[in-house]
Each structure stands twice: as C-alpha cells, then as structure tokens.
Amino acid sequence: MADGTLAPDGGPAPAPDDTAGGDGAFDYWDARHRDQDELASGGHIGLDRAGNELFYALRLGTLLGLVGDLTSPAAPLFVLDAGCGKGYFARALARCGHRVDAFDASEEALDRAHAAGGGPRYGRSRLDAWRSPWPYDIVLCVDVLFHLLDDAEWSAALRNLASLVRLTGRLIVTDEDTARPRARGDYILHRPTAAYRAVLEPLGLRHTEFRPYGFREIEVGFHVFTRIR
C-alpha cells in the first residue's frame, strides 16, 4: 500500500504486511481515528484543541532535536514512522528533507494520512509484521508501544522494530522512564526501562538517552537506542 515514491536505491517501496487484523484493538483505533480530529486521535484525548496543538509541537521539536540535521538532498536520512496514525510526524519529517516510510494498523488513519499527502510512503501493518529490504537510519514509534498490553505482542513488536535499524542507526520509542510497570486505565501499560533494555541490548542496541516530554503531568518521553553491533 505504499504510494509509489522511489526507495533509496531508486527501486519500489517495501512490501508491507496488509493482513493487519480486525480484532478489538484495531476496531478501537479505527473508531478513535474516525471520531476524533487529526490531533486528538493521536494526541491526548484529555486535552482540548489548543492543548493538543502545544503537545504535538513540543513532541515534534524534541523529536527533531533527537533526529538531528545530518541530512542533505544528496543523502537524506531514511526514516520509518511505525504506528504513524494520521501521519503528523511522518509529514513533518518529510518536510525536513528526510525520506520517510510510515505504517499503521488502522485503515481509517491511513486513509486520512494519504489524503493529507506530504511526501511519506504509507502502508498498513502491525508493528511486528513490517518488513523492509533495506535498514533505516531512524526507526520511530511514538506513543504506541504502551498501548500493547500483552507482553508477548509488545516484545515481538519491539524486536521487529529493532531488526529494521542499521548499524549506528537509532530506534526512538516513547514510554515512561520507570522502574516498575504502571497501568493507566484499561488501555495503557507503561513498562520499566529495564524491560526495554532486556529485549534490545541482546540485539545490539544500547540505551543512549531518555528525554522526557516535560509537558504538564505527562511522564512519558523519548527513549533512544543506538545500534552498536
């Protein structure tokens, strides 16, 4: 379901997995993306429009600082936005000159992302199912992993995202920096930083930074893992 933009080597886009299922989790996100506007659906449902404008801008500014500006028209960074929702961050990264692949399991979200245009190539997939014939400089997953309540599903997703990162590339995921699991409501489970390290360090990724959002009472931030082998 990619849009035909050329791959880094001039070839076709990767073949995403189009078999993302229709279980209750997918139904929830389809309904949320259908019923909420482009910010609330992927932002904080407890914030008003102005609050979400600020929340998105703050996250984007922090993210761009982490990604850096090591790009040029001749050698853009190759970025994957995993669980992209309606494509806000994917479009922003594309505007900054990066070459962006993006996917989500929600067909409703992807319809809105395609309609907005803006440069990224979109596909439909689960986090544990996306495949690419080439590695990425940056793999990004914003405010998605802590919605996976099942530990096996979470681990499989994290392992797959790690497999897509090139040597010296970075995996940037968001969660709290906590020492113990924290459940919030019935659809969020924040896992300890040690749990992320336990999965990723044997795969050659070192935890190099945690940068909190610093927005109101939210304790989530960006965990940066760098592939060292």
Side-chain angles (χ1 to χ4, degrees):
M1 295 178 65
D3 65 9
T5 305
L6 293 181
D9 60 359
D17 182 289
D18 275 336
T19 62
D23 62 18
F26 295 159
D27 292 343
Y28 168 81
W29 286 107
D30 271 339
R32 178 162 164 172
H33 284 295
R34 182 174 57 252
D35 298 338
Q36 302 285 342
D37 68 23
E38 70 276 13
L39 297 182
S41 60
H44 194 304
I45 58 175
L47 297 175
D48 59 14
R49 175 77 186 197
N52 267 312
E53 288 276 11
L54 181 58
F55 184 39
Y56 266 93
L58 186 149
R59 286 184 295 170
L60 177 59
T62 303
L63 175 61
L64 292 176
L66 291 171
V67 170
D69 60 356
L70 300 178
T71 186
S72 73
L77 291 179
F78 191 32
V79 179
L80 175 66
D81 185 357
C84 65
K86 292 173 180 170
Y88 178 96
F89 294 111
R91 289 191 297 275
L93 289 164
R95 289 195 301 271
C96 290
H98 304 299
R99 185 167 291 164
V100 182
D101 283 346
F103 71 86
D104 201 274
S106 168
E107 190 168 5
E108 184 74 27
L110 291 171
D111 286 345
R112 305 290 183 88
H114 277 292
R121 299 175 301 182
Y122 293 104
R124 187 172 182 233
S125 179
R126 298 171 61 103
L127 292 178
D128 61 356
W130 183 263
R131 302 291 183 266
S132 173
W134 47 79
Y136 295 91
D137 298 298
I138 302 288
V139 174
L140 169 70
C141 189
V142 178
D143 292 0
V144 180
L145 286 165
F146 52 68
H147 289 298
L148 302 182
L149 304 185
D150 181 78
D151 285 336
E153 183 182 4
W154 170 82
S155 179
L158 194 57
R159 288 173 181 276
N160 188 53
L161 297 181
S163 75
L164 299 166
V165 180
R166 71 163 176 82
L167 186 64
T168 74
R170 283 162 286 169
L171 172 63
I172 302 176
V173 300
T174 63
D175 208 327
E176 294 184 354
D177 185 20
T178 179
R180 61 185 185 279
R182 292 180 179 175
R184 299 190 185 278
D186 58 1
Y187 72 108
I188 290 176
L189 176 59
H190 295 295
R191 291 177 173 84
T193 304
Y196 283 89
R197 286 175 169 158
V199 172
L200 295 172
E201 287 180 354
L203 302 178
L205 286 94
R206 174 183 294 165
H207 189 258
T208 51
E209 185 173 358
F210 174 74
R211 194 173 298 185
Y213 292 162
F215 182 71
R216 299 188 183 179
E217 79 285 356
I218 295 171
E219 297 183 44
V220 175
F222 293 96
H223 287 281
V224 182
F225 292 86
T226 302
R227 180 171 292 285
I228 60 173
R229 58 176 172 81

